[in-house]
Amino acid sequence: MSQQLTVIGTGVIGNGWIARALAQGWDVVAFDPAAGAEARTREFVASAWHSLTRAGLAEGADPERLTFADSLEAAVEGADLIQENVPERLELKREILAAIDAAAAPEAIVGSSTSGFKPSDLQQDCQHEAGRVIVAHPFNPVYLLPLVELVGGEATAAAQTERAQALYQSLAMRPLVVRREIEGHIADRLMEALWREALHLVNDGVATTEEIDAAVVYGCGLRWSLMGTFLTFHLAGGDQGMRHMLEQFGPALKLPWTKLEAPELTDDLIDKVVEGCEHQAAGRSVAELDRRRDDFLVELLGLVQKYWPEAEGLEGRI
């Protein structure tokens, strides 16, 4: 029996969900009242299909299994999983999620792609099955990157989280169940810390955007793609591991090597960042850069799966 994903809101993230689900052999129903939404989505899927084919399509994968509904109520009918992707405005999300909750079958799971809001805040206006409304935060490009952060709210029962976990695993994703709700969840809080520091380095004239990206690409980023932060530092302690690393380098945590607050986005800083990125793009369009990124990710994911298989005891956590 085929499964149905309903996507509400078809921007970059919503379209990423659509492409992933189609590649996994799901039926997909989308709703977006914006003019030209369906044409943009079908163009997006056609572009992503090259990378998805290289990554491997599931049985039944077919872009033609996508349909657009003319109302939210029609879109959620028959859905196993509903993904909300409207703009990051809390009042708007609560309004849309309440409408989804009122119209969807009681057993359907409703995931919000929000990158920052807590699920308990999103559930406030839901009057039917509020607990099944959770955060399901993916990463761009959604059709390739497997991580999805799952966060339940105050009304969410363990069984609802478990059902959500199983559904996202059916989409070939790696659900990370966040233990307690917090603004920004896990990955975005980590990325924001690096982003703030990078802006300070540009603002203070220490490095260009290209030099900072090189520091990540050819240094820490290579290690992070396999080991993350903690295991990388564990190795830095030599044979004695993390305990020795903390004893040796722990005092450095008190040194003023980082700035916690983001710099003010002055016109000068904005110009430096924009000009730096345009220099790095070297005349290539965003579409060209997207394809380059996707080709790289397909190959990189193969290496990650080779060296970090599911057998390492992370089932159910990531």
Side-chain angles (χ1 to χ4, degrees):
M1 182 177 177
S2 63
Q3 292 179 291
Q4 178 185 317
L5 171 70
T6 289
V7 172
I8 306 298
T10 57
V12 171
I13 299 301
N15 284 337
W17 281 113
I18 290 170
R20 172 175 280 274
L22 292 170
Q24 293 302 316
W26 284 44
D27 294 319
V28 180
V29 180
F31 173 69
D32 190 323
E38 180 172 357
R40 286 191 294 271
T41 293
R42 294 193 183 277
E43 182 179 354
F44 182 101
V45 171
S47 177
W49 210 252
H50 164 80
S51 297
L52 288 166
T53 301
R54 289 188 61 208
L57 300 174
E59 183 178 355
D62 187 347
E64 294 305 313
R65 296 180 74 166
L66 167 66
T67 58
F68 264 71
D70 57 9
S71 69
L72 181 149
E73 290 75 17
V76 302
E77 184 177 348
D80 298 285
L81 177 62
I82 302 163
Q83 195 72 27
E84 169 272 310
N85 313 278
V86 302
E88 287 284 286
R89 300 199 300 272
L90 183 58
E91 290 185 3
L92 174 62
K93 283 189 177 290
R94 284 173 57 164
E95 176 186 347
I96 296 300
L97 288 167
I100 293 171
D101 180 51
E107 66 274 12
I109 293 294
V110 182
S112 172
S113 294
T114 180
S115 58
F117 296 130
K118 295 192 292 186
S120 291
D121 294 332
L122 299 174
Q123 295 173 349
Q124 289 301 308
D125 296 330
C126 298
Q127 302 297 316
H128 296 265
E129 298 286 342
R132 46 85 174 268
V133 176
I134 64 170
V135 166
H137 175 233
F139 296 83
N140 187 42
V142 182
Y143 52 89
L144 290 179
L145 294 184
L147 181 65
V148 57
E149 295 177 314
L150 302 184
V151 195
E154 295 174 358
T156 303
Q160 291 168 318
T161 300
E162 291 169 4
R163 173 161 167 74
Q165 194 173 342
L167 285 167
Y168 287 104
Q169 286 173 334
S170 296
L171 286 171
M173 303 200 79
R174 301 293 294 270
L176 173 59
V177 179
V178 180
R179 296 174 183 271
R180 57 194 282 279
E181 53 184 326
I182 184 174
E183 292 89 347
H185 325 312
I186 297 174
D188 270 3
R189 294 179 73 94
L190 297 173
M191 290 190 294
E192 282 294 320
L194 180 61
W195 175 231
R196 287 193 294 269
E197 191 64 25
L199 289 174
H200 274 294
L201 292 171
V202 172
N203 195 49
D204 295 344
V206 175
T208 65
T209 61
E210 185 173 23
E211 291 163 350
I212 292 168
D213 283 351
V216 174
V217 170
Y218 296 107
C220 51
L222 290 172
R223 300 181 302 189
W224 286 342
S225 64
L226 173 65
M227 295 185 174
T229 302
F230 283 98
L231 196 57
T232 292
F233 281 133
H234 178 64
L235 270 61
D239 291 341
Q240 298 176 56
M242 179 61 82
R243 186 170 298 280
H244 179 65
M245 184 271 172
L246 290 173
E247 290 171 352
Q248 184 173 2
F249 298 105
L253 295 173
K254 297 293 186 180
L255 298 177
W257 284 2
T258 58
K259 299 180 180 181
L260 296 179
E261 296 293 330
E264 183 181 354
L265 280 178
T266 62
D267 290 342
D268 182 57
L269 176 54
I270 291 171
D271 288 343
K272 287 180 180 178
V273 172
V274 171
E275 290 167 8
C277 291
E278 289 176 347
H279 172 74
Q280 288 177 257
R284 292 169 292 189
S285 68
V286 170
E288 290 175 294
L289 293 172
D290 277 345
R291 176 60 62 86
R292 180 172 180 262
R293 175 204 63 195
D294 289 359
D295 287 345
F296 172 79
L297 287 175
V298 169
E299 295 186 35
L300 181 61
L301 283 168
L303 284 174
V304 172
Q305 291 163 4
K306 176 181 178 181
Y307 286 95
W308 196 357
E310 294 180 355
E312 289 196 9
L314 291 172
E315 301 93 333
R317 300 307 304 177
I318 186 172

